[in-house]
Amino acid sequence: MATSQLTNITPPRVPFLDPRNGLISREWYRFLLNLFVLTGGGQNTTTLTDLQVGPPMPTQEDFVEITVDIESLEKQPTQESALEQIAELQKQIEALEAQIECPCIELTTVLQAQIEALEAQIASPCTELAAELQAQIEGLQLAPPPREFDRSRYGSFYDTTTQTATTINTAKAVTFNTTDLSRGVYLGSPTSRVYVDTPGVYNFDTSFQLDKTAGGVGLFYLWFRLNGVDVPNSASQIRIQGNNAEIFSSLNYFFDLNAGDYVEIMYSVDDLSVELLAEPAAAPHPGVPSIILTVSNNIGGIQ
């Protein structure tokens, strides 16, 4: 650093007294000290009036204070660090223009070029990122992502026992003794109740095997109950005739359920020889459940 002092006028925003200690602030102290030194410390004829007319012209050595980290400029800056460097360089340019009556055009041009280089480095990554995002958007428009089923719920249940009525023309609930698959759809207590844990539209699909163990004609009725109440217009009727007259049948029903709702399958007969028949496995076929029920949601898409 050269021995001569550059006396910058302290900005108005700097208070004369430091509010923290009540003493003169460091900036004003340095300013007044530099004035004192420049006037010769009381040893020469230079006065404050002379300094106000025109401060001494700084030499090349005075510009040593202006430092530019060239290596950091050559590296790819972050947007935040680059903006900070630009602001600092701009301050230095403004300070030079305020101190020098005839600004150093060459140094100002160099600093301005560095600012433009930093701005170009900031703009380049932003342009590349915008192009990449645009390509992704166009890709989604050409091939939108596949629909996914959220909150899928299902259950599969069956019973391996023959179920019979004990009283004619009396509603009785079908029970299940085996859970095959279950996710959010489960058997309750009693095991005739099938619960769901998530709101949605559910498909109840059931198949069953009937038998008659005596001659004559018997009627079999099957319907659904929701939360203990018969579902209107959900019943089916099957007429079965003759001894060992096995009949296989199936039906399904849609329910719009809330979490905690339960569904039951009810049946009644007018002849106690009509039953839901189960048979054990025998070569070449596996076992025959008396009833099978599958339940699933996501009817019509995403729930």
Side-chain angles (χ1 to χ4, degrees):
M1 178 66 186
T3 56
S4 63
Q5 301 290 326
L6 291 177
T7 302
N8 297 329
I9 297 177
T10 305
R13 66 177 179 273
V14 179
F16 186 75
L17 294 180
D18 191 331
R20 295 171 295 182
N21 52 31
L23 302 177
I24 186 171
S25 63
R26 183 173 62 87
E27 291 83 358
W28 280 103
Y29 175 80
R30 291 182 61 188
F31 172 75
L32 296 174
L33 178 61
N34 286 343
L35 290 179
F36 181 76
V37 172
L38 289 172
T39 57
Q43 302 300 317
N44 59 30
T45 59
T46 305
T47 67
L48 289 176
T49 303
D50 296 329
L51 292 175
Q52 292 173 354
V53 171
M57 179 65 67
T59 65
Q60 183 65 31
E61 293 177 344
D62 295 326
F63 294 104
V64 175
E65 284 185 333
I66 302 175
T67 57
V68 179
D69 191 349
I70 301 300
E71 292 182 359
S72 66
L73 292 177
E74 293 175 349
K75 299 178 181 178
Q76 181 68 28
T78 64
Q79 184 168 354
E80 182 178 357
S81 64
L83 291 175
E84 290 176 355
Q85 293 184 50
I86 291 173
E88 182 61 29
L89 291 173
Q90 192 65 45
K91 288 181 181 178
Q92 294 180 21
I93 292 174
E94 294 173 356
L96 284 173
E97 292 175 345
Q99 293 175 22
I100 305 173
E101 193 169 326
C102 181
C104 182
I105 302 300
E106 181 178 353
L107 181 58
T108 302
T109 303
V110 172
L111 293 176
Q112 189 63 42
Q114 293 174 355
I115 292 175
E116 293 175 356
L118 284 172
E119 291 175 341
Q121 290 177 348
I122 294 173
S124 177
C126 293
T127 302
E128 294 175 359
L129 178 60
E132 181 180 351
L133 292 175
Q134 185 62 37
Q136 294 177 0
I137 292 172
E138 293 174 355
L140 290 174
Q141 291 173 343
L142 294 175
R147 296 179 66 186
E148 297 181 357
F149 291 130
D150 293 336
R151 299 185 292 124
S152 178
R153 292 293 184 265
Y154 51 81
S156 178
F157 317 98
Y158 59 88
D159 189 73
T160 58
T161 65
T162 296
Q163 301 189 43
T164 59
T166 56
T167 307
I168 63 170
N169 301 323
T170 302
K172 186 174 183 179
V174 175
T175 58
F176 302 90
N177 64 6
T178 304
T179 297
D180 189 19
L181 294 172
S182 177
R183 183 170 184 250
V185 182
Y186 56 94
L187 297 178
S189 179
T191 60
S192 60
R193 297 182 178 182
V194 181
Y195 286 85
V196 299
D197 69 354
T198 301
V201 178
Y202 289 79
N203 181 26
F204 280 67
D205 194 348
T206 183
S207 61
F208 51 92
Q209 177 171 276
L210 297 178
D211 187 25
K212 195 171 188 307
T213 59
V217 177
L219 295 177
F220 176 86
Y221 295 90
L222 190 83
W223 67 95
F224 290 97
R225 273 186 182 174
L226 174 59
N227 296 328
V229 179
D230 291 339
V231 177
N233 302 311
S234 66
S236 297
Q237 180 195 74
I238 298 176
R239 183 183 298 271
I240 185 169
Q241 183 174 4
N243 187 30
N244 296 325
E246 291 86 357
I247 294 178
F248 173 83
S249 187
S250 64
L251 77 155
N252 71 294
Y253 205 93
F254 287 172
F255 288 93
D256 189 358
L257 302 178
N258 295 313
D261 286 348
Y262 69 90
V263 175
E264 293 178 285
I265 300 176
M266 309 300 296
Y267 75 99
S268 71
V269 298
D270 70 348
D271 186 332
L272 296 181
S273 64
V274 178
E275 62 186 13
L276 289 164
L277 176 66
E279 294 183 338
H285 65 79
V288 180
S290 56
I291 188 166
I292 298 174
L293 173 66
T294 59
V295 182
S296 62
N297 70 344
N298 286 317
I299 305 304
I302 298 175
Q303 294 294 315

